[in-house]
Amino acid sequence: MVPYDEPIYGFSREQVSSRGYIDLHTVFRDGAQTKTIPNRFLIVDVPTSYNVLLGRPSLNTLGAVVSTPHLAMKFPSPFGDILTIHGDQRLARKCYMASLRPQLPILQTNHIERPLGSEIALSSDDLDPRVGRDIRLEPIEETTPLELPNGRIIKVGTGLESEQRDIITPTLVGNTYLFAWSAADLPTVDPQVKKCKLGEEQRLAAKAEADKLLSVGFIEEAHYTTWLSNVVLVKKANGKWRMCVDYTDLNKACPRDAYPLPNIDRLVDGAVGNKVLSFLHAYSDYNQIPMTASDMNKIAFITDDANYFYKVMPFSLKNAGATYQQLIDKVFSI
């Protein structure tokens, strides 16, 4: 890159400093036929959705005729044939939407080129003319009106295939109530319905715990959930993190299992007279109990990487203690 410090001026005479320029041969291809022209690309450092902008001098050197509605460009080949290059509709829409974000500056330029031998000074004609103050998006293809049951009209692209239209049309008609036509139609969102944000250290700890549970088959990735709970990271005495799932809302909707838990007085009386008292610690005790398949999607939880559901009984459930006690009683009664 050759250093070059002359500024570029945009639509509203805003000034952008250039970092230099580079001379490259640019190849334009239509199938097996190509046309190559030398270009001088001027490099600027600005936030934009575009990587390269071709100005009028290069288009004139190429002999190109551009049709923006069709996203196509025609130009003569070295042998006299007419070559055509088509743009990508989806990529063009993505760049267009990104260029209209209000937080970005009006100047949407990364690399601006000039043919070799031409003057370096640039004018506003070389910049993208589509970017303005109006951030409303417009369709890039023809549309047809579709009347909804409430009398409102929406537009559907004519480029849709008949099978796609047969799927989309009844979906739009059947979900008319989801559209907001004015500020008065906007629903409120319960502030309690939100994803819990984790710090970087906690996020990594949650990912490590989820990977461990996934590797031993205790959890599985969830796609369509009826309930979804947040994870909570609690610092243990040894400095490590313990991942817990906040099943508060799920527990409110579940009936309580009234299975009797051990009576502490009876346990103490039963231990009297014995010389040795042993304690049994069951590793991941609750996780040894498989969940009913129909209930697995109810105990799903969310992480920054994916949603998972437990295939075994997790901690924090309202009836986990009663269920585990019932199992232990049956084990020692055999």
Side-chain angles (χ1 to χ4, degrees):
M1 184 176 68
V2 180
Y4 184 77
D5 57 2
E6 290 294 325
I8 305 172
Y9 296 95
F11 295 107
S12 58
R13 305 306 298 171
E14 72 273 18
Q15 181 175 313
V16 176
S17 299
S18 59
R19 303 184 60 180
Y21 67 85
I22 184 171
D23 295 330
L24 295 174
H25 284 79
T26 308
V27 179
F28 298 85
R29 181 184 302 276
D30 178 17
Q33 300 189 66
T34 62
K35 185 174 183 179
T36 303
I37 63 172
N39 280 318
R40 173 161 292 177
F41 291 89
L42 190 61
I43 312 299
V44 295
D45 186 11
V46 292
T48 175
S49 58
Y50 299 97
N51 293 320
V52 177
L53 289 181
L54 293 177
R56 289 180 181 177
S58 285
L59 296 178
N60 293 338
T61 302
L62 187 63
V65 176
V66 179
S67 173
T68 53
H70 300 90
L71 283 181
M73 181 173 67
K74 292 180 178 290
F75 54 91
S77 73
F79 305 100
D81 300 331
I82 301 299
L83 308 183
T84 304
I85 294 179
H86 293 278
D88 187 289
Q89 294 273 352
R90 181 172 298 179
L91 182 60
R93 178 181 290 273
K94 183 177 179 180
C95 290
Y96 182 52
M97 293 174 64
S99 69
L100 294 181
R101 293 174 183 168
Q103 67 267 24
L104 294 181
I106 295 178
L107 179 62
Q108 301 288 324
T109 312
N110 249 2
H111 301 71
I112 304 173
E113 51 71 39
R114 307 285 294 190
L116 292 176
S118 65
E119 295 294 332
I120 293 295
L122 299 178
S123 65
S124 60
D125 292 335
D126 295 309
L127 303 180
D128 185 6
R130 296 178 299 171
V131 181
R133 297 184 180 276
D134 185 8
I135 62 173
R136 182 179 296 277
L137 301 181
E138 297 294 339
I140 61 175
E141 60 182 6
E142 295 183 1
T143 60
T144 182
L146 172 64
E147 184 175 358
L148 299 177
N150 61 359
R152 298 282 187 171
I153 303 295
I154 61 175
K155 296 180 180 180
V156 180
T158 57
L160 291 175
E161 298 181 359
S162 57
E163 294 82 0
Q164 295 175 324
R165 184 179 296 275
D166 292 340
I167 296 174
I168 292 177
T169 300
T171 302
L172 295 174
V173 173
N175 294 277
T176 303
Y177 67 96
L178 296 177
F179 293 91
W181 307 99
S182 67
D185 298 329
L186 295 176
T188 58
V189 178
D190 190 338
Q192 299 299 323
V193 181
K194 61 184 178 180
K195 178 179 178 292
C196 182
K197 237 180 140 178
L198 300 176
E200 182 64 15
E201 182 182 358
Q202 294 174 316
R203 185 189 70 82
L204 295 176
K207 184 179 186 305
E209 181 66 17
D211 291 343
K212 183 181 72 174
L213 295 173
L214 194 63
S215 66
V216 296
F218 282 2
I219 63 174
E220 187 175 315
E221 188 170 350
H223 299 285
Y224 303 99
T225 60
T226 55
W227 292 80
L228 193 60
S229 302
N230 282 307
V231 296
V232 179
L233 277 296
V234 180
K235 184 66 75 74
K236 297 193 292 187
N238 59 5
K240 296 183 179 179
W241 291 98
R242 172 182 284 119
M243 187 183 78
C244 306
V245 182
D246 184 8
Y247 287 124
T248 302
D249 293 334
L250 179 63
N251 287 334
K252 291 178 181 178
C254 292
R256 177 172 293 279
D257 185 353
Y259 186 82
L261 297 179
N263 184 284
I264 188 64
D265 293 333
R266 185 175 65 83
L267 294 178
V268 172
D269 293 341
V272 173
N274 294 285
K275 295 182 179 180
V276 178
L277 180 63
S278 299
F279 291 92
L280 174 65
H281 176 71
Y283 184 77
S284 296
D285 42 5
Y286 287 6
N287 296 155
Q288 307 303 317
I289 303 176
M291 290 292 298
T292 302
S294 59
D295 290 336
M296 290 180 182
N297 62 344
K298 299 183 179 68
I299 52 175
F301 61 93
I302 182 172
T303 69
D304 283 353
D305 301 285
N307 297 333
Y308 301 97
F309 64 83
Y310 273 96
K311 300 168 65 176
V312 295
M313 188 175 72
F315 295 81
S316 304
L317 290 181
K318 176 193 292 186
N319 296 316
T323 302
Y324 184 73
Q325 183 62 46
Q326 187 175 8
L327 171 66
I328 294 300
D329 289 347
K330 289 185 177 181
V331 169
F332 281 97
S333 65
I334 298 176

